[in-house]
Amino acid sequence: MVSATSSPSPDGRRVALLTLGCARNEVDSEELAARLHADGWQVTTDGEGADVVVVNTCGFVEKAKQDSIQTLLAAADTGAKVVAAGCMAERYGRELADSLPEAQAVLSFDDYPDIAARLDAVVSGREIAAHTPRDRRELLPLTPVARRDSAVSVPGHGRADVDEHTPAHLRPVLRRRLDTGPVASLKLASGCDRRCAFCAIPAFRGAFVSRTPDELLAEAEWLAKSGVRELVLVSENSTSYGKDLGDPRALEKLLPQLAAVDGIVRVRASYLQPAETRPGLIEAIAGTPGVAPYFDLSFQHSSEPVLRRMRRFGSTDRFLHLLATARQLAPEAGARSNFIVGFPGETRHDVDELVRFLTEARLDAIGVFDYSDEDGTEAAGLPGKVSAATIKRRYDKLSALADELCSQRAEDRLGSTVEVLVDSVDGGIVEGRAAHQAPEVDGSTTLVAPDGGGVDLAALRPGDLVRATVTGTEGVDLLAVPDEMISAAPGAAR
């Protein structure tokens, strides 16, 4: 199997793809890279000397939007033509184009299948009219099982132009990797059918659409052949995977199949909704060889009144029971979550309840966000707004508590055995991640030289999977001595 590629065109058009935001955006950028390369563009992630810089923006919260604007402005300073794509571009369309004349084009997700033609137009100086934003949930059928036949453009779900009856494993994979690391995201699905009061994502990402298991397995095999050793399964809501395929247990069936792909040593599921995390899925994550016993659970809060106003379900005790169920099956399982403080109507009692949950939950990683109104969300119009000063005070309190609790949780792992996937070897420093550490968000594990036998640190390479003993901590990060090689990365000279 090969990616959708062709030889660069004689004119040497060069495009830089800069990706902001989440791992889902990274997958979308790699689809765009495949489409552009197939049309002869030289694709890079370095804006130096590029004819066009495409910024795959994030539009989730205010800080992410500001980062996107700053990146677009910095790209314009290079003298290259600048194109805004991604979530912020989709969400604001014409409004963004009018307020940011430095960008030669603002593209919609609907432009992705014809991205090469859009950039050709930009290079030749032709104007591309920006779209008027619309609620992308309305573009797909209300009934999930009716969505598969829709022609709506869904980023990260692109297929090569071949006969629809061609089996997935015989189709070219419409993806071109933009880095060579041993970890890659695999997009399970796009969009979301939930109606959380604080979240605008469904309106610009659309309704929930799963990719089929055969597509995912084919892409996983392609990634493995490119040197990927760990797959991180991403979506807006992974626990909904398969509901539009007629199989709500599809994810727990898919996990062992992905873990069995030759070359893959770890599969990690992310973006789990607590209300949809069924016992069978917990068992699959906690007990399947090759699947990280790792629970990335979107709690957001634990006070039941706040959760109801958020249009979410659960409570402190229900969430603690969910974590206890996972740890009964896998005592060393990792768990992480994000929380919003200052949601409209939040009281001191609600904050105390959240503190109780965090103190008892023993989470490995905790993200704390201060609430802010987001355009188009139900929460923006709710009464009972918490003052900015109170939000800051609660945010500072919860952030400090989170740092302390996560450091304590790391110390709990002293003396334990962990399986570490080596991510990088730089200047003699070997850094990787244990099963409870997802890329970029959960800390890392630095491997240190053993006193006696064990694994030769100098021989380790990115992609190696080693068993190690935890000997120290630095906040959420671990120090560990490698005891034995579990699986060496293929092709590396030793």
Side-chain angles (χ1 to χ4, degrees):
M1 179 173 296
V2 296
S3 61
T5 61
S6 67
S7 299
S9 62
D11 61 8
R13 295 168 301 170
R14 193 164 186 263
V15 56
L17 281 169
L18 307 183
T19 307
L20 304 177
C22 64
R24 302 183 295 272
N25 261 13
E26 294 172 4
V27 177
D28 297 349
S29 287
E30 293 192 346
E31 179 189 311
L32 293 177
R35 292 184 183 278
L36 288 164
H37 187 83
D39 197 59
W41 284 81
Q42 296 179 16
V43 182
T44 179
T45 57
D46 181 3
E48 186 70 27
D51 299 293
V52 181
V53 176
V54 177
V55 180
N56 189 350
T57 60
C58 179
F60 181 38
V61 293
E62 187 59 34
K63 183 180 184 302
K65 289 184 280 189
Q66 290 302 318
D67 288 345
S68 295
I69 292 293
Q70 292 302 318
T71 302
L72 287 161
L73 292 174
D77 288 342
T78 68
K81 294 183 182 296
V82 177
V83 172
C87 291
M88 186 178 180
E90 176 63 44
R91 186 176 181 183
Y92 293 104
R94 169 52 62 187
E95 180 183 346
L96 178 61
D98 290 343
S99 62
L100 194 72
E102 291 85 355
Q104 277 67 45
V106 172
L107 301 183
S108 166
F109 294 148
D110 295 326
D111 292 306
Y112 281 24
D114 300 311
I115 184 67
R118 298 296 182 270
L119 296 198
D120 288 342
V122 167
V123 169
S124 64
R126 300 196 303 273
E127 182 178 353
I128 300 175
H131 61 285
T132 299
R134 52 184 172 173
D135 190 332
R136 294 191 71 86
R137 290 171 293 191
E138 298 173 357
L139 302 180
L140 290 166
L142 185 62
T143 305
V145 294
R147 294 171 187 164
R148 290 296 307 170
D149 297 327
S150 173
V152 173
S153 176
V154 181
H157 291 229
R159 300 183 185 181
D161 188 15
V162 296
D163 187 284
E164 63 178 4
H165 300 295
T166 302
H169 69 282
L170 297 178
R171 301 175 195 151
V173 172
L174 194 60
R175 181 170 180 176
R176 181 174 178 82
R177 294 200 69 200
L178 294 173
D179 67 59
T180 58
V183 183
S185 297
L186 182 64
K187 182 176 278 194
L188 290 174
S190 286
C192 186
D193 288 340
R194 299 184 71 88
R195 294 295 184 267
C196 301
F198 55 82
C199 185
I201 290 175
F204 56 83
R205 273 289 183 178
F208 186 87
V209 181
S210 300
R211 300 178 66 199
T212 60
D214 60 341
E215 289 177 52
L216 293 167
L217 287 166
E219 188 166 320
E221 291 172 359
W222 178 80
L223 287 167
K225 289 175 182 176
S226 76
V228 170
R229 303 277 278 163
E230 176 176 330
L231 298 173
V232 181
L233 309 184
V234 300
S235 69
E236 274 76 27
N237 176 9
S238 296
T239 39
S240 282
Y241 177 71
K243 73 174 188 177
D244 52 330
L245 304 177
D247 186 0
R249 296 183 57 201
L251 181 55
E252 57 199 79
K253 296 176 182 177
L254 178 66
L255 286 170
Q257 293 177 285
L258 290 171
V261 170
D262 188 31
I264 298 300
V265 296
R266 180 185 288 163
V267 177
R268 183 185 304 277
S270 60
Y271 302 104
L272 307 176
Q273 285 288 343
E276 299 178 21
T277 304
R278 300 167 297 279
L281 181 57
I282 296 173
E283 292 172 8
I285 293 174
T288 303
V291 175
Y294 172 82
F295 293 85
D296 175 18
L297 293 156
S298 177
F299 290 129
Q300 302 301 343
H301 212 284
S302 73
S303 171
E304 197 163 2
V306 174
L307 288 166
R308 294 299 175 271
R309 286 194 295 277
M310 288 179 168
R311 294 195 178 275
R312 297 175 66 87
F313 302 95
S315 65
T316 293
D317 292 333
R318 289 181 183 180
F319 291 163
L320 290 174
H321 176 73
L322 174 58
L323 291 168
T325 301
R327 287 168 176 152
Q328 284 175 355
L329 298 170
E332 296 300 317
R336 80 170 324 275
S337 192
N338 295 322
F339 299 88
I340 299 171
V341 294
F343 190 80
E346 183 188 65
T347 65
R348 282 181 290 180
H349 175 74
D350 295 324
V351 176
D352 291 342
E353 186 68 359
L354 179 54
V355 168
R356 179 170 82 89
F357 173 71
L358 293 177
T359 303
E360 297 182 28
R362 297 170 59 236
L363 299 174
D364 293 276
I366 299 169
V368 180
F369 294 86
D370 48 341
Y371 172 81
S372 62
D373 288 338
E374 281 295 315
D375 300 336
T377 63
E378 179 184 355
L382 288 178
K385 289 290 193 293
V386 181
S387 72
T390 299
I391 290 177
K392 183 180 186 307
R393 185 168 62 251
R394 292 175 182 176
Y395 171 81
D396 291 343
K397 173 184 176 180
L398 268 295
S399 295
L401 177 64
D403 289 344
E404 178 183 353
L405 292 172
C406 291
S407 295
Q408 290 175 2
R409 177 61 177 148
E411 291 172 1
D412 290 343
R413 296 187 182 275
L414 284 169
S416 68
T417 299
V418 293
E419 294 186 358
V420 178
L421 182 75
V422 176
D423 283 332
S424 65
V425 179
D426 186 9
I429 298 176
V430 182
E431 190 170 5
R433 289 169 298 99
H436 69 280
Q437 295 171 321
E440 299 182 4
V441 294
D442 294 341
S444 63
T445 298
T446 300
L447 296 177
V448 295
D451 292 331
V455 177
D456 179 9
L457 213 61
L460 291 176
R461 299 290 182 269
D464 288 343
L465 183 68
V466 301
R467 187 170 287 110
T469 300
V470 179
T471 58
T473 67
E474 296 178 357
V476 297
D477 298 326
L478 305 181
L479 302 175
V481 173
D483 300 317
E484 63 176 317
M485 179 75 73
I486 300 173
S487 175
R494 303 288 171 173

